[in-house]
Amino acid sequence: MSAPKVGILMGSVSDLGVMQEASKILEDFGVPYDMRVLSAHRSPSLTQDFAQEAEGRGIQVLIAGAGAAAHLAGVLAAHTILPVIGIPIDSSPLKGLDALLATVQMPGGVPVSTMAIGKAGARNAGLVAVQILSRSDTGLQDKLRAYKAAQQKKIESIQL
Ligand code: RP5
């Protein structure tokens, strides 16, 4: 198996159903990834270690999903220069609005590129990771063009 180029992290195994939308995209584009449960609150030192070691392992992008008081993406961003894409997960009574604000409202200097709440956000996180990697990979550029063309074809084929 090839070395992972993307890290997919989630705060709890209960986030897996959402985060698999990101991993499916990476599989479709043939991008190797390392997917793990890492909690900013429940396993802070493991989270820090992962963030600090990721770049040296050849990982180029981190995708992090968490719900409620969602600090995972921000904590990862604090410990790495890799781009971090955050996904707010709708796992709390506030249906992800809490996670959205916690993920998107990073203080200046520590960016987290925040996607939409839930599955659409996870899917788009996978696509943004592919877009970042595609800047130095023409094969991925071709696959992204084909992905866009397929979406357009689907719309064109709708007959009401
Ligand atoms: C967050 O709390 C996780 O990312 C998850 O979305 C939420 C609930 O976690 P569990 O109590 O289901 O483990 O940290």
Side-chain angles (χ1 to χ4, degrees):
M1 204 160 124
S2 0
K5 292 196 172 146
V6 178
I8 302 181
L9 299 322
M10 65 203 85
S12 168
V13 72
S14 65
D15 300 327
L16 185 60
V18 172
M19 297 307 288
Q20 278 171 334
E21 293 293 318
S23 60
K24 264 190 250 160
I25 290 285
L26 297 183
E27 279 163 32
D28 289 349
F29 282 84
V31 172
Y33 61 87
D34 179 4
M35 182 152 77
R36 301 191 193 194
V37 175
L38 279 181
S39 169
H41 307 111
R42 293 167 174 157
S43 62
S45 50
L46 291 180
T47 302
Q48 180 174 343
D49 290 349
F50 186 94
Q52 287 175 337
E53 289 163 14
E55 196 188 352
R57 295 174 53 207
I59 290 176
Q60 294 181 45
V61 187
L62 297 180
I63 295 174
H71 294 114
L72 180 59
V75 167
L76 290 166
H79 291 290
T80 182
I81 60 161
L82 294 174
V84 178
I85 306 167
I87 304 158
I89 299 202
D90 42 340
S91 58
S92 77
L94 297 183
K95 301 190 185 336
L97 190 55
D98 42 3
L100 172 64
L101 295 177
T103 307
V104 78
Q105 286 291 84
M106 288 298 291
V110 191
V112 169
S113 303
T114 305
M115 301 290 110
I117 296 169
K119 287 188 175 182
R123 189 170 161 199
N124 283 342
L127 287 167
V128 172
V130 173
Q131 287 173 327
I132 293 169
L133 295 172
S134 79
R135 292 299 78 215
S136 55
D137 183 331
T138 54
L140 285 181
Q141 289 169 22
D142 292 343
K143 286 182 189 175
L144 281 165
R145 282 190 193 98
Y147 183 88
K148 275 205 179 295
Q151 284 193 122
Q152 177 162 325
K153 217 166 181 181
K154 217 166 163 186
I155 298 289
E156 281 169 359
S157 70
I158 296 172
Q159 289 189 340
L160 301 176

